[in-house]
Structures are given as C-alpha cells and as structure tokens.
Amino acid sequence: MKTVAVLTSGGDSPGMNAALRAAAKTCAGRGVRLLGVREGFEGLIDGRMVEVVPGPCALLGEPGLDVLGSQGGTVLGSTRSARFREPDGRARAADALRSAGVDGLVVIGGNGSLTGAHLLAREHDVRVMGVPASIDNDIGCTSLAIGTDTALNTIVEACDHIDDTARAHRRAFVVEVMGRACGYLAMASSVAVGADAVLFREQQRDEDTLVRAVAGVVQQCFHRGKRRVLVIKAEGVEIPCTRLVRRVAEELGEVEIRAVVLGHIVRGGHPSFLDRMVSARLAYAAVVSLLEGASDEMVAWNTPLPGGVATSDGSVKRFTLERVLAETAALEDGTSPVMARRLQLLQQVEGVLPL
Ligand code: F6P
C-alpha cells in the first residue's frame, strides 16, 4: 500500500483542517495510508507522524476530522522551523520520511513552507506537492490561498463594528490588517467595507506623504459631513499605527482619530464556505497528483497566469514550485503583472474612496 504524509507549516490559516480532512478522504478512498506530521517541518525532522483517517475517530485524543475540518487553526500544529532552514535539518526530514515508508509529502503552507518543500524535493528527491495556504494571499501562480477569504470576512466584520462606534462619536479610525509585506488584505477589504482610504507597502509612500494623505482624507470626509472616516492600513506599511494617528492628530488639531490593530484576530475563526471548498479541491488535486507521479509542484486555484498543467478540476492547475517561488518574488518586488494590475485598479478607485 502506498503512504502519503501531510503537514501544515508557517502561519496557520482557516481551511487547513478542511484540507487535511479532504486529503484523508481522498487517501482512504484510494486505499492509501495517510500520515499526519505534527508541528510542520519541525515535527518532520523528529519523525513525529500519526496515522490520519477520515470520519469521527479520534486523532491523538482530539475529536475526529468530521468536526475539526470545519474549525480554524490546524489540528496537526504548525511551526516556523529554524532547523529545517539548515541542510542538516532537511536531510534528517528526508530520512524520517524514508524510514516511515512515505511515497509522497503534501505541504500545506505559505511561501517559507513552499520554499522548504522545493528544497526537500531538489536536494533529497522527495516527492512533494504544495498546497497554498496563507491569509496574506501573497503566493505566486494562484489567485487565492487557503485562509484569505475567511481573513477578509473577519476584517469586514471588525470594520462594521468599528463603523458603528465611529459614527456615534464622529471619529476617524486607522485599522491595521495583517499581510506581512503584501497589501492584498488591505486592498481587497478596503473596497468591501467602503473605506475612505487604503495604505499599503506597494504604494511606496514615505512617512510624511502617508501622514499628509491620511490628514487630507480625514479633513475632506468630515468637511463633506461624513460621521466616520475609515482608513485601512496594511501591516507592511512600516509606520506604526499609533504614530501615524498621533501625527495626523497633530496636523489636524481638533479631529478625533483612533488606531486599531486587528493582528492575529484576522488569522483565526471558522473557515468560510469559499475557504472550505477551495481547501478541499486543492487537497484532493494535490494527493491525486502525487499518486499520479507529479512532484516539486504546487496546486493553484484559478490561476491568473498562462501555462501550468491542467487537473481534472477546471479551477485547479499545477505549477512547478520553481515558477511559483519566482512569481512570489515578483509579486513582492512589484515586477509581477498581477501586482501591476492590482495597483492599477486601486489607483483608479482611490479618488472615489473618500466620496
Ligand atoms: O503570514 C501570515 C501572517 O499572519 C502575517 O500576516 C503576519 O505578518 C505573520 O504571519 C505573523 O506571524 P506570527 O504569528 O509568527 O507572529
């Protein structure tokens, strides 16, 4: 019988458990043994694996995947493994997979995790398939990563709450959202919540320009009779939220302005319908691709790019991890056409946001 292993790695994201559930069902349906690796690459180095089966049965004393599949976080646990970044750690991980008789590994995670998966495949000939999972949506070749939709829904709900109190007091708020270097969560949520302005790293504005921009929007909105002003700021914009708000307040005098950093609240919670569906379909495609002999690739959801290898799911294509990582770097440094399109779109609507 074949054996597949699966791990979740890096920042957890809602939908990881749904992906695990789908992987378990896919393996069980094909008579394949599935091993779940505890705590990502860290657990892999130490060979900490447990057999995973679908349904209501206990997984290390926890409720079965029937229940856990609909919860946020990751039941397998996750780490950002420093040891795996070293060649020795990767060699030990490859040994552990061989000892456990693993034929292929599914890595569910973000950029760091996919980089690790690529190195494992290249250096040790381990068969690996990546599944993009990160609330940041900063992974190349895929239009969506697992967890992004839920994170956006959480941001929207939080902003609705902030809206209520802001209107009551006629206040301005700067709300910081996660996303590391990527402004996607800020860009997408700002449109969805009807924010008056959005700030993200890719705009490349210095601190004084940011302060002037926010002060200008706040002044304009209150002058037009608005009772609330909402500015969404991406984490990647380096000026801390509190300093930005203090400087805007100094510039404007009488205006009331507050800062809210949503932080890790955005990363938790039950996965949305979209995240559960995307997780399940990506995990299914990843397991099937591995069993069909593919390796050193990632399954991508509705790719915005040409190329890739089609799967039986019209929305899922496979891309080599090499291409995924190159495209990821291009998204970050702004040379990707996908990022250029996002920026262009935001520039077009920026003028109407405060209206
Ligand atoms: O990559 C996901 C993410 O949540 C980023 O948005 C954020 O910058 C980072 O992880 C936080 O990491 P940690 O939970 O390790 O502090």
Side-chain angles (χ1 to χ4, degrees), residues 19 22-23 106 129-133 142 144-146 275-289 298-302 313 315-317:
V106 176
M129 188 60 59
V131 175
T142 186
L144 203 58
I146 293 173
D275 271 326
R276 293 182 204 199
M277 185 193 60
V278 172
S279 300
R281 288 166 67 177
L282 288 178
Y284 171 83
V287 171
V288 170
S289 303
M298 185 194 83
V299 283
W301 182 258
N302 283 335
D313 186 330
S315 292
V316 181
K317 275 188 167 183

Side-chain angles (χ1 to χ4, degrees), residues 318-339:
R318 294 173 2 217
F319 285 87
T320 64
L321 280 170
E322 197 173 358
R323 177 146 182 224
V324 169
L325 296 173
E327 175 61 17
T328 299
L331 278 175
E332 187 166 340
D333 69 21
T335 53
S336 159
V338 174
M339 183 51 74

Side-chain angles (χ1 to χ4, degrees), residues 11 80 134-136 178-180 235 264 267:
R80 302 191 194 279
S134 167
I135 63 163
D136 304 340
M178 272 193 170
R180 206 183 287 277
E235 176 186 30
H264 287 79
R267 218 162 75 185

Side-chain angles (χ1 to χ4, degrees), residues 7 9-10 41 81 84-85 90 105 107-124 128-132 138-140 296-298 320-322 324-326 328-329 332:
L7 61 80
S9 168
F41 288 122
S81 174
F84 193 77
R85 277 184 220 121
R90 295 195 290 276
L105 173 69
V107 173
I108 305 171
N111 291 321
S113 314
L114 297 169
T115 304
H118 178 52
L119 291 173
L120 199 58
R122 212 178 51 186
E123 295 171 353
H124 299 283
V128 175
M129 188 60 59
V131 175
D138 58 349
I139 301 171
D296 202 8
E297 293 182 336
M298 185 194 83
T320 64
L321 280 170
E322 197 173 358
V324 169
L325 296 173
T328 299
E332 187 166 340

Side-chain angles (χ1 to χ4, degrees), residues 1 26 31 57 81 88 90 116 133 135 189 195 220 231 239 290 307 324 354:
M1 181 171 71
T26 308
C57 4
S81 174
D88 181 54
R90 295 195 290 276
I135 63 163
S189 62
Q220 182 190 345
V231 177
I239 175 172
L290 263 185
V324 169

